[in-house]
Every structure is written in structure tokens, then in C-alpha cells.
Amino acid sequence: MILAIETSCDDTCAAVVEPDGRRALSNVVHTQTEHARYGGVVPEVASRAHLERMDGVIAKALADAGIGLDSVTGVAVTVRPGLIGALLVGVSAAKGLAYARRLPLIPVDHLEGHVAAAYLAEPDLVPPFVALIASGGHTALYSVDADGMRLLGETLDDAAGEALDKGARMLGLGFPGGPEISKAAEHGDPTRHEFPVGLKNRDTLDFSFSGLKTSLLYKLKALDERQAREELPHLAAAYERAVVEALSRKLLRAAESREARTVVVAGGVAANGLLRRTLKVECVRRGLRLVVPPPELCTDNAAMIGAAAPLSDAVPFPGYLSLNARSV
Ligand code: KG4
Ligand code: ZN
């Protein structure tokens, strides 16, 4: 069994995954609540909270899977990209466990982890496919084949999740912004306000979300307090729709240009209901297979890191003691 650890941002995660990376026996996520009052993740606070929770989260992952450490044959851990202090807590824990048991350590790239969540969702999935990763820190399109992932396009400014988080903050909603905007948008009319969709008609697979954010700022400036309250559901609905349109448009364009038959969507924003519904309709129309992991595998978790482990190079005992984490 693979014991997987993920601490790249504000979730302290551990999971037990079968060696082929296609089935999780447990998946424990402790989402840090310390950041809510700041409206965003505070790196130093995240590192310290990981340190406090790490041992308990690992113990729970083993207990939930019904195994002991003696059944673990390798320790997988996110080594990049992410908050450096946060990553180091997970990497140190993984090194300690692996070294004590003379096990190999498997360094995993967080973004490859997000894509690998699709293998847990649909174990028969095999490359090639086109993948969209949309999270709080990243928004990128990849062409995935047997040799690995190749970048096709990425955001030139904010990530999609970041745009939702910042938009939510401007609208006076909570953090994380994605689910909050969806909730506020429930009874809103998405056609009442118009927001720009960045790089919409340009012949590029890159994204841009900064214009959207600025547009919301100016719209809010033009409204008094009462109007802003009344318009909240409509603004949220239109804002959410603009983000979803940008993501689905570029993903479908990438699938077309790569002549892909399968598309995968991953990362925290893939938990978004409107994005899931929109892509479902569009993919049926185009005869594409759509793989979107369930929401709990889309947001940060360690099962996806275990799922990526068979695709990453294991470092044998004890060569990994000098291994470092990287923020990018
Ligand atoms: O992948 P993730 O959990 O962490 C990062 O690696 O960033 O993604 C977090 C992002 C946040 O920006 C959050 O607002 C967004 O994913 N998110 C959502 C939803 N759930 C989380 N965005 C839209 N709809 C959701 N249901
Ligand atoms: Zn992530």
C-alpha cells in the first residue's frame, strides 16, 4: 500500500492508496479553518497548523484503511508546487516515516496529482487525453499521454479559483469564494450583468481573469449599498458564468486542436456545479468522454497524490534525505 501525504496549501491530508494508484482505501482531509478570517491563506499560519495536525491525520488515514504501517510499501508526498513552509511539513513527515521503515519515497508534483484524481474516479481511464486543472493557485491545460503531461496553455494572471475568491471578497462573501459565489448565484439571473471573458476570441489556449475582477470592481463602485445587496445574486451568477465560460471554451478548443476523445477536469474549481453541468452537455454534443472526479477528489487531497505515485520516479532508501520541496 502507498501512504500519501499532501500539505501544499491549507489542507492537511493523508491517504492510503493501492499500489497501482487506482483505488483509495482512505482519504483524510483536514481543512484549516484558521484562514477564514483573513479571507485568504496565510502561509506561516498554514505551516504551523500542518505541523499540529499532520500526525493525527496520518494515524486516521491508516486507521480508516484498516492497515498498520507494516503494510505500507512506499510513502508518496507532494514536493511541488505550493507554499514552501507548508510543503516542508509534509515532506519532513514523509521522510521520517519512510526512513524509519527503510521504504522508498515517491516525490509527487501537485498538478500531476490533480490530474491523477481522474484515475481514482474512473480506474479504466488511460491516456491520451486533454486535462484542465483549475484551482486556487493554477489554471492550465495539459495534453497527457503515456510519457507525461505537456503544457498547452495557462493563465496569464489570476487562477480561476483566485478570481472566484477575490470576486467573493468584493461581494462581501466568505472564503473560499467558489462555493460562496455558487450559493449566492442560485437565484440570480446570469444575463443581467455582462462580464468580459478573457482572451475569448483569441487563437490561444491561455486564460486571463484579471479583466473580470476589474469589471466587478467598477460595477460595484457604481452601485449604492442597497443596490449592491439587491444585485448580489445577479452579479454572482454572471461572474460565475464568465469564469465557467472561459474554462469550458478553452478546454473544448484544446480537445479539438489535439483531436482528443477524452477530457479530464480537475482542481478545486472542478467541484463547481455550473462548470460540471456545462461541460457535460458540451461533451455529449461533441462525442467526448468527460471525466470529472467527485468534488472531494477535485479539491486538495492526498488520495490524488497516491494515484500519481505510480507515474512518478520513486527514490530508494535512503537517498531522499537530501530531497527538497520547491514552491514552483
Ligand atoms: O485545488 P484546490 O482545493 O486548492 C489549490 O490547489 O488551490 O482549489 C481551491 C480553489 C479555491 O479557489 C476555491 O474557491 C475553489 O477551488 N473551489 C470552487 C469550488 N470549490 C472550491 N470553485 C467553484 N466552485 C466550487 N464548488
Ligand atoms: Zn490543488
Side-chain angles (χ1 to χ4, degrees), residues 6 8 110-111 114 135-136 138 267-268 298-300 304:
E6 150 68 42
S8 67
H110 182 79
L111 300 176
H114 271 303
S135 72
H138 302 271
C298 287
T299 48
D300 285 352
M304 70 183 197

Side-chain angles (χ1 to χ4, degrees), residues 216-270:
L216 177 60
L217 183 69
Y218 283 118
K219 281 190 170 54
L220 283 170
K221 269 191 178 162
L223 302 175
D224 64 29
E225 216 172 287
R226 187 185 55 83
Q227 289 171 318
R229 210 169 33 244
E230 278 172 14
E231 291 304 313
L232 175 65
H234 312 303
L235 286 167
Y239 194 87
E240 179 183 42
R241 192 163 89 156
V243 172
V244 166
E245 192 181 332
L247 294 174
S248 49
R249 202 179 256 266
K250 296 283 166 149
L251 173 60
L252 294 168
R253 191 180 292 173
E256 199 176 295
S257 78
R258 303 294 305 169
E259 295 180 4
R261 306 301 317 142
T262 302
V263 297
V264 166
V265 188
V269 181

Side-chain angles (χ1 to χ4, degrees), residues 3 101 144:
L3 173 66
R101 303 221 141 232
V144 181

Side-chain angles (χ1 to χ4, degrees), residues 1-4 15-26 120 302-307 310:
M1 292 299 161
I2 298 167
L3 173 66
V16 174
V17 176
E18 285 186 349
D20 67 358
R22 304 258 164 172
R23 196 168 83 91
L25 300 186
S26 66
L120 294 169
M304 70 183 197
I305 302 305

Side-chain angles (χ1 to χ4, degrees), residues 51-241:
L51 201 53
E52 284 168 13
R53 299 286 176 160
M54 190 78 266
D55 289 355
V57 166
I58 292 172
K60 182 154 172 31
L62 292 168
D64 285 0
I67 66 159
L69 267 181
D70 49 346
S71 306
V72 175
T73 49
V75 182
V77 62
T78 308
V79 292
R80 65 180 288 261
L83 303 172
I84 191 66
L87 285 166
L88 281 170
V89 176
V91 170
S92 303
K95 279 183 186 176
L97 277 171
Y99 189 79
R101 303 221 141 232
R102 302 180 154 255
L103 297 173
L105 184 140
I106 308 134
V108 174
D109 181 299
H110 182 79
L111 300 176
E112 290 179 16
H114 271 303
V115 171
Y119 297 123
L120 294 169
E122 300 195 15
D124 68 328
L125 174 69
V126 281
F129 53 80
V130 165
L132 166 70
I133 300 176
S135 72
H138 302 271
T139 296
L141 281 164
Y142 293 91
S143 162
V144 181
D145 60 27
D147 298 329
M149 308 195 340
R150 201 170 66 80
L151 186 68
L152 299 175
E154 63 186 329
T155 182
L156 303 179
D157 37 63
D158 289 345
E162 195 179 358
L164 290 166
D165 292 340
K166 288 177 176 170
R169 182 140 51 142
M170 282 189 250
L171 290 167
L173 302 169
F175 177 84
E180 293 285 327
I181 287 194
S182 293
K183 216 188 303 160
E186 223 165 88
H187 302 292
D189 173 3
T191 62
R192 193 140 127 177
H193 297 276
E194 204 171 320
F195 284 106
V197 175
L199 310 177
K200 180 167 150 180
N201 296 316
R202 298 254 202 97
D203 198 16
T204 165
L205 292 174
D206 289 333
F207 303 85
S208 170
F209 294 101
S210 62
L212 176 63
K213 201 176 58 188
T214 313
S215 170
L216 177 60
L217 183 69
Y218 283 118
K219 281 190 170 54
L220 283 170
K221 269 191 178 162
L223 302 175
D224 64 29
E225 216 172 287
R226 187 185 55 83
Q227 289 171 318
R229 210 169 33 244
E230 278 172 14
E231 291 304 313
L232 175 65
H234 312 303
L235 286 167
Y239 194 87
E240 179 183 42
R241 192 163 89 156

